[in-house]
Amino acid sequence: MSTKASISSGEKHHLYHQELLSQEPTSVFLEIDSPSEFRVEKETFQGKIIETLTVEIPSATMDQIAINWIKKRKLQGAVGGPVGEEWGSPDCPWD
């Protein structure tokens, strides 16, 4: 049995991973409702089939997704941000 565990959500997006009872999540999923533009392309390059999904995401939405992802994964130190309980960190008790 699995359930969606939300990482970031907004009016037109939802970033989540599926929680399984006995294992750590290894993938995340991004749903975009009514994107302004999207395309799926399939081509063959050197005998290999390459499939590409391109989705237009507004900058403000991507900012929100990125910030929530960094907090969820506790990556703020990797991007030069706070590494303890500073404002904006996932461990901050005032957020």
Side-chain angles (χ1 to χ4, degrees):
M1 173 129 194
S2 68
T3 185
K4 290 181 180 180
S6 188
I7 297 168
S8 180
S9 62
E11 186 177 317
K12 292 188 169 195
H13 82 278
H14 188 201
L15 179 69
Y16 64 93
H17 63 86
Q18 290 190 354
E19 287 191 345
L20 303 172
L21 294 178
S22 61
Q23 72 186 89
E24 286 293 314
T26 57
S27 299
V28 295
F29 301 88
L30 177 60
E31 295 177 359
I32 304 291
D33 296 335
S34 304
S36 300
E37 180 182 336
F38 73 94
R39 63 183 178 272
V40 178
E41 299 171 345
K42 188 174 185 177
E43 64 181 84
T44 303
F45 180 72
Q46 296 181 346
K48 294 182 181 179
I49 297 175
I50 299 171
E51 297 173 314
T52 305
L53 170 65
T54 304
V55 180
E56 180 179 354
I57 301 173
S59 297
T61 300
M62 189 64 226
D63 292 346
Q64 181 183 1
I65 292 168
I67 290 166
N68 291 335
W69 177 251
I70 288 168
K71 286 182 178 182
K72 169 71 176 165
R73 301 279 292 174
K74 298 184 179 188
L75 296 171
Q76 60 275 22
V79 294
V83 294
E85 293 186 357
E86 293 89 347
W87 189 265
S89 87
D91 298 321
C92 178
W94 309 287
D95 216 276

